[in-house]
Amino acid sequence: MSMVHALVREARPRQWIKNLFVGAPLVFAKSLLDETRLLRAGAAVLTFCVISWAVYLWNDIVDVERDRAHPTKRLRPIASGELPVPVARTAAALLAVIGLLAAWLLHPYMAAACGLYLGLNVAYSLSLKHVPYVDVLVIAAGFLIRVSAGALAIQVHPSGWLLACTLLLASFLGFAKRSHELRTHGPTARRVLRHYHPDWLRGALYASAAATIVAYTLYTRAEHTLAYFGTDRLIYTVPCVVVGIGRFLQIAARPRDDSPTDEMLRDPLFLASIAAWVGLVVAIIYIAR
């Protein structure tokens, strides 16, 4: 049972919230009330949870020696020896195969997207995570693949605006996390941080934050958006985005050991802004038209 528990801990269930991006196309394709598409989108989210489980295992196998020297990561199941590396390697391979088969059943192209996601993360773990700025862009690309996979699962074309906003938001979150790590732990926390200049990183952080807000605002006023949803009220959701991004900037600026992406899930103001945004989007698209 202890080994099963270790495998579950390696799954990092708290991180699965990222996989909700897979369901974004369902909402913005006006298909939330379509039972068939709802079930397919749910299956796609679960499939990506399995795929990400395999990725976490692989990443911790690659980083096992480095994690053993880290003050907190040394407690992870693989680094601590609770989960033997051969077992973790076998589990990662099985989970990857199961995830790809599940994706294939939903749509062959979704399986291709999941394969691309796996390949990108293997490359990230082996080398790309050590290249400044490219490491953040790879993480952002992972979110882009999530959204694309979700669209493929329910067989809709994702909006260019949705993809652009996803890429910018994910880049912002990535730069915020790097900025927090550099401020809290210095360049010793992660090898790639030695190559980040604090001023350049701060510039990338605020530029991506501003670009996300501007892109989302333009999306709510775009001619295609107004015609597709039959309303101009999505503009009312912009303040929620501004508050959420502003609050995340504050969270990332705190010199704490906790990751800002973990802390945001415990922050009442941030969670309230997300809940308000979700509630307004659903109400505007599905109720108030």
Side-chain angles (χ1 to χ4, degrees):
M1 289 299 294
S2 61
M3 195 170 296
V4 173
H5 178 66
L7 274 171
V8 172
R9 283 172 55 203
E10 278 290 339
R12 300 189 184 54
R14 287 187 303 175
Q15 297 294 327
W16 286 1
I17 191 171
K18 300 173 184 177
N19 295 324
L20 292 179
F21 277 81
V22 177
L26 177 76
V27 176
F28 290 97
K30 300 186 293 187
S31 299
L32 192 58
L33 303 179
D34 184 320
E35 184 177 344
T36 299
R37 284 183 167 175
L38 180 61
L39 290 173
R40 291 179 66 86
V45 172
L46 291 176
T47 296
F48 243 89
C49 289
V50 173
I51 292 288
S52 61
W53 191 351
V55 167
Y56 290 137
L57 282 165
W58 164 256
N59 187 63
D60 283 359
I61 290 169
V62 173
D63 287 346
V64 62
E65 296 301 330
R66 191 176 298 110
D67 287 351
R68 284 171 179 164
H70 193 275
T72 56
K73 292 181 180 180
R74 63 184 176 83
L75 301 177
R76 289 178 176 177
I78 296 176
S80 66
E82 184 181 355
L83 183 64
V85 170
V87 175
R89 188 179 294 114
T90 301
L94 286 174
L95 288 166
V97 170
I98 292 170
L100 290 172
L101 286 175
W104 179 272
L105 292 174
L106 287 169
H107 197 288
Y109 286 167
M110 182 185 170
C114 289
L116 177 61
Y117 181 81
L118 282 169
L120 189 64
N121 276 277
V122 168
Y124 175 82
S125 296
L126 293 176
S127 62
L128 295 180
K129 69 192 302 181
H130 304 304
V131 182
Y133 300 99
V134 171
D135 62 327
V136 172
L137 294 178
V138 170
I139 294 173
F143 282 88
L144 211 57
I145 293 172
R146 285 180 174 91
V147 172
S148 300
L152 289 167
I154 62 173
Q155 299 179 36
V156 300
H157 294 288
S159 162
W161 282 108
L162 178 60
L163 295 176
C165 289
T166 298
L167 182 63
L168 290 169
L169 177 61
S171 298
F172 162 69
L173 295 175
F175 286 130
K177 188 174 182 180
R178 292 293 181 269
S179 179
H180 174 268
E181 291 173 337
L182 188 60
R183 180 179 291 107
T184 304
H185 302 291
T188 59
R190 193 187 294 261
R191 191 168 72 185
V192 71
L193 290 177
R194 302 171 192 168
H195 306 288
Y196 273 104
H197 191 284
D199 292 338
W200 292 4
L201 180 56
R202 192 178 303 110
L205 172 63
Y206 285 104
S208 58
T212 301
I213 294 171
V214 170
Y216 182 75
T217 303
L218 291 174
Y219 162 68
T220 65
R221 304 303 298 166
E223 184 177 346
H224 169 76
T225 304
L226 301 180
Y228 185 70
F229 293 117
T231 179
D232 61 356
R233 295 177 181 175
L234 277 175
I235 190 69
Y236 300 150
T237 65
V238 172
C240 299
V241 174
V242 174
V243 171
I245 287 178
R247 184 55 177 171
F248 192 78
L249 282 170
Q250 290 181 327
I251 292 171
R254 298 170 180 169
R256 297 184 179 181
D257 289 337
D258 286 349
S259 166
T261 52
D262 288 337
E263 191 176 344
M264 74 180 185
L265 299 179
R266 301 189 297 267
D267 185 78
L269 179 56
F270 182 84
L271 292 176
S273 68
I274 296 299
W277 179 79
V278 171
L280 283 172
V281 166
V282 171
I284 292 168
I285 294 177
Y286 294 91
I287 300 173
R289 283 189 296 159

